[in-house]
Amino acid sequence: MSVFENREFNGHELVTFGNDGPTALRAIVAVHSTALGPAAGGCRMWPYASTDEAITDALRLSRGMSFKNAMANLPFGGGKAVIIGDSRRKTPQLFEAFGRFVDTLGGLYITAEDVGTTTTDMESVAKQTSFVTGLHRRGGEFGGDPAPKTALGVYLGIKAAAKFRWGRTDLAGLRVAVQGVGGVGYHLCRLLAADGAVLRVADVRSTAAERVRDELSASIVPVETVMYEDVDVFAPCALGAVLNEHTIGKIQARIVAGAANNQLAKDADGVSLQAASILYAPDYVINAGGIISVTREYLGGSSEAQVSAEIHAIGERLTEIFDKARRENKPTNVVADRLAQERIETAQNRLVA
Ligand code: NAI
């Protein structure tokens, strides 16, 4: 087992392992960078086949959080936790033990929900540490489930992309294929439908797709072919790595803009999208609405209107990336990565000076 030699190791500041016998907790926290502030990022629970696989995921995801937080202008660095295990067998006690583990880091890392963990799990974590966010909404405060906030950012990102690509200021009649209509996809469909977009949706859970069909007059299309529909926009809102050497050549949409994390199987797939004249909205820029919401919930002191204004800036940020990419003839993911890295390095230099 190696960390420093791992292909995803990228100058991470800290990787630490937590074990709790009674609850069978096995967790890893990776802190990529604290240059911009404490490392924030969700906790993923997944039945990793090996510890190496879990380390690799924690390293990759925590670096992604550094970029995401930097591009969202949040006062946080990047970190991530992974719990090795099947989320169908999780218990409140397991998350309390995880909370104690997070607390030992003294605020260097702040956790929240991610794949396999929920707001309820974070409530268990909060019994043992204050370094947690993404808790249930309390009274009139914002916060709570980040999915609708993520959906708002993706909707604004699609609008920015449509304006950039076609000079359109409205979405009436725009054909959008949405892959995955769960927490984010469902709310995204509602926003798009309210603007007159024509929806085609696919979900492995037929009830989720049927709900969008019944409520929003969407057409249901097969899960296997939703990516290749003859539409204007493809919005991946389910899985990662859907943009790869096997799929990109078959995509008919001219814009790819959705919520899923790590949409590109590898960085070079951004070059293929550019070559295919597909405008790609970098995932960690367009899907930052949720992290903006949970961050402001954690820090306190912001109003719902301020959070909404921050999420609205996602559209402008994407337009800046699209402009730069066009001027420099570079893939949009390369431009976004460079901007994020510059922000982190500037903060690092300030710390050293
Ligand atoms: P979710 O689990 O609520 O929804 C995902 C939906 O995709 C489910 O309905 C699932 O049945 C469906 N699905 C799974 N495999 C599929 C396939 N092969 N084809 C079609 N549908 C499939 O998850 P959520 O919260 O909506 O997140 C969606 C994506 O956005 C994930 O990649 C997540 O990591 C990412 N994301 C979510 C954020 C949030 O605030 N919830 C924030 C940032 C990113």
Side-chain angles (χ1 to χ4, degrees):
M1 182 203 315
S2 66
V3 173
F4 296 124
E5 291 76 24
N6 190 298
R7 67 177 187 277
E8 297 291 345
F9 181 74
N10 176 253
H12 288 69
E13 293 177 15
L14 178 93
V15 179
T16 183
F17 298 76
N19 178 62
D20 179 67
T23 61
L25 173 77
R26 286 203 157 176
I28 302 167
V29 169
V31 170
H32 175 251
S33 166
T34 54
L36 288 163
C43 168
R44 178 164 295 193
M45 184 164 185
W46 194 256
Y48 294 101
S50 66
T51 308
D52 269 352
E53 201 185 286
I55 294 170
T56 302
D57 215 25
L59 292 172
R60 184 177 62 87
L61 293 167
S62 57
R63 175 173 179 257
M65 286 312 301
S66 287
F67 283 19
K68 184 187 277 206
N69 292 334
M71 285 307 284
N73 268 338
L74 296 170
F76 280 139
K80 202 87 182 183
V82 298
I83 295 178
I84 302 169
D86 185 338
S87 64
R88 287 172 301 188
R89 285 197 278 278
K90 62 191 177 185
T91 60
Q93 292 73 26
L94 178 98
F95 284 97
E96 286 196 36
F98 174 66
R100 287 192 291 278
F101 173 41
V102 169
D103 205 59
T104 62
L105 300 174
L108 196 68
Y109 166 68
I110 298 159
T111 198
E113 60 267 65
D114 192 64
V115 175
T117 63
T118 63
T119 313
T120 305
D121 300 329
M122 291 308 121
E123 293 288 351
S124 301
V125 174
K127 288 188 179 151
Q128 303 292 338
T129 183
S130 58
F131 305 119
V132 56
T133 185
L135 305 173
H136 284 126
R137 202 180 170 96
R138 288 175 170 81
E141 287 175 44
F142 58 85
D145 179 11
K149 301 293 198 302
T150 303
L152 174 62
V154 174
Y155 159 75
L156 294 164
I158 290 175
K159 283 185 80 158
K163 178 137 188 273
F164 185 83
R165 180 100 217 196
W166 299 299
R168 293 182 64 131
T169 50
D170 72 283
L171 302 185
L174 192 84
R175 299 164 306 157
V176 186
V178 184
Q179 180 185 46
V181 281
V184 179
Y186 169 73
H187 288 282
L188 173 65
C189 286
R190 285 180 60 134
L191 292 165
L192 292 170
D195 262 6
V198 179
L199 301 174
R200 299 186 202 174
V201 300
D203 199 296
V204 288
R205 290 183 302 128
S206 55
T207 48
E210 283 157 17
R211 180 183 182 200
V212 182
R213 178 194 65 195
D214 297 346
E215 288 183 19
L216 305 170
S217 305
S219 316
I220 298 179
V221 297
V223 164
E224 296 75 23
T225 53
V226 61
M227 291 190 70
Y228 315 123
E229 287 289 316
D230 178 17
V231 288
D232 304 302
V233 180
F234 168 57
C237 296
L239 313 164
V242 290
L243 304 172
N244 57 54
E245 57 189 322
H246 307 293
T247 61
I248 291 171
K250 293 188 268 176
I251 296 175
Q252 298 196 55
R254 297 293 86 198
I255 291 173
V256 173
N261 278 315
N262 304 312
Q263 291 169 31
L264 301 175
K266 45 187 196 319
D267 286 349
D269 293 315
V271 178
S272 309
L273 286 167
Q274 185 197 18
S277 288
I278 295 171
L279 182 63
Y280 168 63
D283 45 15
Y284 62 83
V285 181
I286 195 171
N287 73 14
I291 191 78
I292 290 171
S293 170
V294 297
T295 298
R296 294 305 169 197
E297 171 196 341
Y298 179 78
L299 293 173
S302 295
S303 66
E304 186 92 47
Q306 282 166 325
V307 173
S308 172
E310 277 195 67
I311 295 173
H312 275 74
I314 288 175
E316 291 146 38
R317 205 162 291 131
L318 283 169
T319 305
E320 185 192 333
I321 291 166
F322 296 153
D323 265 330
K324 263 198 196 334
R326 181 153 69 188
R327 273 202 312 276
E328 298 173 8
N329 194 25
K330 294 239 163 70
T332 52
N333 61 308
V334 170
V335 170
D337 284 2
R338 199 188 61 217
L339 286 173
Q341 251 150 355
E342 279 169 9
R343 284 181 191 196
I344 296 165
E345 277 162 23
T346 306
Q348 251 155 3
N349 293 340
R350 262 203 308 270
L351 288 178
V352 172

PDB file of all heavy atoms in Angstrom, residues 79 111 156 163 192 201 217 232 326 340 347:
ATOM      1  N   GLY A  79     -10.671  18.704   0.939  1.00  0.00           N
ATOM      2  CA  GLY A  79     -10.467  17.450   1.646  1.00  0.00           C
ATOM      3  C   GLY A  79     -11.604  16.499   1.338  1.00  0.00           C
ATOM      4  O   GLY A  79     -12.602  16.894   0.718  1.00  0.00           O
ATOM      5  N   THR A 111     -16.405  17.918   7.368  1.00  0.00           N
ATOM      6  CA  THR A 111     -17.086  16.890   6.588  1.00  0.00           C
ATOM      7  C   THR A 111     -18.534  17.279   6.252  1.00  0.00           C
ATOM      8  O   THR A 111     -19.093  18.247   6.779  1.00  0.00           O
ATOM      9  CB  THR A 111     -17.030  15.541   7.336  1.00  0.00           C
ATOM     10  OG1 THR A 111     -17.304  14.493   6.415  1.00  0.00           O
ATOM     11  CG2 THR A 111     -18.011  15.479   8.495  1.00  0.00           C
ATOM     12  N   LEU A 156     -28.448  27.473 -14.116  1.00  0.00           N
ATOM     13  CA  LEU A 156     -27.843  28.747 -14.501  1.00  0.00           C
ATOM     14  C   LEU A 156     -26.653  28.514 -15.434  1.00  0.00           C
ATOM     15  O   LEU A 156     -26.412  29.296 -16.358  1.00  0.00           O
ATOM     16  CB  LEU A 156     -27.396  29.513 -13.247  1.00  0.00           C
ATOM     17  CG  LEU A 156     -28.554  29.962 -12.345  1.00  0.00           C
ATOM     18  CD1 LEU A 156     -28.035  30.351 -10.957  1.00  0.00           C
ATOM     19  CD2 LEU A 156     -29.308  31.131 -12.982  1.00  0.00           C
ATOM     20  N   LYS A 163     -26.328  30.730 -23.934  1.00  0.00           N
ATOM     21  CA  LYS A 163     -26.094  32.127 -24.361  1.00  0.00           C
ATOM     22  C   LYS A 163     -24.758  32.202 -25.101  1.00  0.00           C
ATOM     23  O   LYS A 163     -24.649  32.826 -26.159  1.00  0.00           O
ATOM     24  CB  LYS A 163     -26.084  33.026 -23.117  1.00  0.00           C
ATOM     25  CG  LYS A 163     -25.820  34.473 -23.409  1.00  0.00           C
ATOM     26  CD  LYS A 163     -26.757  35.349 -22.593  1.00  0.00           C
ATOM     27  CE  LYS A 163     -26.657  36.803 -23.001  1.00  0.00           C
ATOM     28  NZ  LYS A 163     -25.616  37.536 -22.323  1.00  0.00           N
ATOM     29  N   LEU A 192     -35.855  23.745 -15.673  1.00  0.00           N
ATOM     30  CA  LEU A 192     -35.792  23.789 -17.134  1.00  0.00           C
ATOM     31  C   LEU A 192     -37.204  23.830 -17.734  1.00  0.00           C
ATOM     32  O   LEU A 192     -37.474  24.597 -18.665  1.00  0.00           O
ATOM     33  CB  LEU A 192     -35.029  22.566 -17.667  1.00  0.00           C
ATOM     34  CG  LEU A 192     -33.525  22.515 -17.363  1.00  0.00           C
ATOM     35  CD1 LEU A 192     -32.953  21.152 -17.723  1.00  0.00           C
ATOM     36  CD2 LEU A 192     -32.786  23.622 -18.132  1.00  0.00           C
ATOM     37  N   VAL A 201     -35.722  12.267 -20.439  1.00  0.00           N
ATOM     38  CA  VAL A 201     -35.057  11.826 -19.209  1.00  0.00           C
ATOM     39  C   VAL A 201     -34.882  10.310 -19.185  1.00  0.00           C
ATOM     40  O   VAL A 201     -35.653   9.568 -19.806  1.00  0.00           O
ATOM     41  CB  VAL A 201     -35.842  12.268 -17.944  1.00  0.00           C
ATOM     42  CG1 VAL A 201     -35.968  13.778 -17.884  1.00  0.00           C
ATOM     43  CG2 VAL A 201     -37.204  11.608 -17.872  1.00  0.00           C
ATOM     44  N   SER A 217     -44.232  16.615 -18.122  1.00  0.00           N
ATOM     45  CA  SER A 217     -44.430  16.211 -19.528  1.00  0.00           C
ATOM     46  C   SER A 217     -43.116  15.843 -20.226  1.00  0.00           C
ATOM     47  O   SER A 217     -42.948  16.111 -21.424  1.00  0.00           O
ATOM     48  CB  SER A 217     -45.108  17.330 -20.338  1.00  0.00           C
ATOM     49  OG  SER A 217     -46.302  17.714 -19.731  1.00  0.00           O
ATOM     50  N   ASP A 232     -30.157  19.407 -27.870  1.00  0.00           N
ATOM     51  CA  ASP A 232     -29.214  20.530 -27.837  1.00  0.00           C
ATOM     52  C   ASP A 232     -28.245  20.399 -26.669  1.00  0.00           C
ATOM     53  O   ASP A 232     -27.065  20.736 -26.786  1.00  0.00           O
ATOM     54  CB  ASP A 232     -30.003  21.843 -27.705  1.00  0.00           C
ATOM     55  CG  ASP A 232     -31.015  22.000 -28.824  1.00  0.00           C
ATOM     56  OD1 ASP A 232     -30.592  21.982 -29.994  1.00  0.00           O
ATOM     57  OD2 ASP A 232     -32.228  22.095 -28.535  1.00  0.00           O
ATOM     58  N   ARG A 326     -12.033  29.784 -25.637  1.00  0.00           N
ATOM     59  CA  ARG A 326     -12.142  30.127 -27.065  1.00  0.00           C
ATOM     60  C   ARG A 326     -10.938  30.967 -27.502  1.00  0.00           C
ATOM     61  O   ARG A 326     -10.332  30.697 -28.528  1.00  0.00           O
ATOM     62  CB  ARG A 326     -13.450  30.874 -27.325  1.00  0.00           C
ATOM     63  CG  ARG A 326     -13.627  31.228 -28.801  1.00  0.00           C
ATOM     64  CD  ARG A 326     -15.063  31.361 -29.206  1.00  0.00           C
ATOM     65  NE  ARG A 326     -15.649  32.553 -28.594  1.00  0.00           N
ATOM     66  CZ  ARG A 326     -16.949  32.844 -28.658  1.00  0.00           C
ATOM     67  NH1 ARG A 326     -17.779  32.033 -29.278  1.00  0.00           N
ATOM     68  NH2 ARG A 326     -17.421  33.917 -28.092  1.00  0.00           N
ATOM     69  N   ALA A 340      -8.143  27.388 -11.189  1.00  0.00           N
ATOM     70  CA  ALA A 340      -8.224  26.893  -9.807  1.00  0.00           C
ATOM     71  C   ALA A 340      -6.827  26.797  -9.200  1.00  0.00           C
ATOM     72  O   ALA A 340      -6.587  27.238  -8.073  1.00  0.00           O
ATOM     73  CB  ALA A 340      -8.918  25.537  -9.773  1.00  0.00           C
ATOM     74  N   ALA A 347      -2.705  31.787  -2.929  1.00  0.00           N
ATOM     75  CA  ALA A 347      -2.951  31.724  -1.481  1.00  0.00           C
ATOM     76  C   ALA A 347      -1.755  31.078  -0.772  1.00  0.00           C
ATOM     77  O   ALA A 347      -1.348  31.525   0.303  1.00  0.00           O
ATOM     78  CB  ALA A 347      -4.225  30.931  -1.213  1.00  0.00           C
TER      79      ALA A 347
END
